[in-house]
Amino acid sequence: MAQEITSKNLPELLASGKPVIVDFWAEWCGPCRMIAPVVEELAAEYEGRIVVGKCNVDDASDLATQYAIRNIPTILFFKNGEVVDKQVGAVGKLDLKKKFEALLA
């Protein structure tokens, strides 16, 4: 299950040594609701190998600002604490799975 990402726990997660994926979303966002089940499925599938989290931009506007999130959904892919990839907009599970696999390569 994807965990809630805040400005308090993100630095610790990024320092964990595992790849981290953060889905920036909002409750009022239709495409965010469309992609949410896919993110949850992949979180379960990659549990223990990749940290998957969700960041509500309304609750954590500081993180949205820090990472220049201008459109949602936006998914950031972190490796070694750095953003290495980004997905803006809703996409299918296969497209996201390819990005998850690239993080593990």
Side-chain angles (χ1 to χ4, degrees):
M1 180 174 178
Q3 59 185 297
E4 182 181 352
I5 300 294
T6 66
S7 56
K8 291 181 181 178
N9 69 356
L10 184 58
E12 182 181 315
L13 293 172
L14 293 177
S16 72
K18 289 184 181 175
V20 177
I21 294 169
V22 180
D23 174 16
F24 288 87
W25 70 287
E27 289 186 26
W28 47 264
C29 169
C32 298
R33 290 194 308 271
M34 287 172 42
I35 201 171
V38 172
V39 171
E40 289 295 338
E41 285 176 32
L42 290 170
E45 195 172 320
Y46 287 87
E47 188 173 355
R49 297 187 293 158
I50 296 177
V51 175
V52 179
K54 297 179 69 67
C55 180
N56 185 322
V57 297
D58 291 332
D59 297 337
S61 59
D62 56 336
L63 282 179
T65 300
Q66 179 181 347
Y67 290 102
I69 304 301
R70 291 181 175 79
N71 300 300
I72 53 174
T74 292
I75 301 175
L76 296 183
F77 298 81
F78 294 86
K79 191 169 189 173
N80 300 319
E82 300 293 324
V83 177
V84 295
D85 199 358
K86 176 196 271 190
Q87 174 62 53
V88 178
V91 293
K93 184 176 180 179
L94 187 58
D95 292 323
L96 281 181
K97 190 167 183 163
K98 286 178 188 175
K99 291 180 179 273
F100 274 56
E101 287 295 327
L103 274 183
L104 294 172

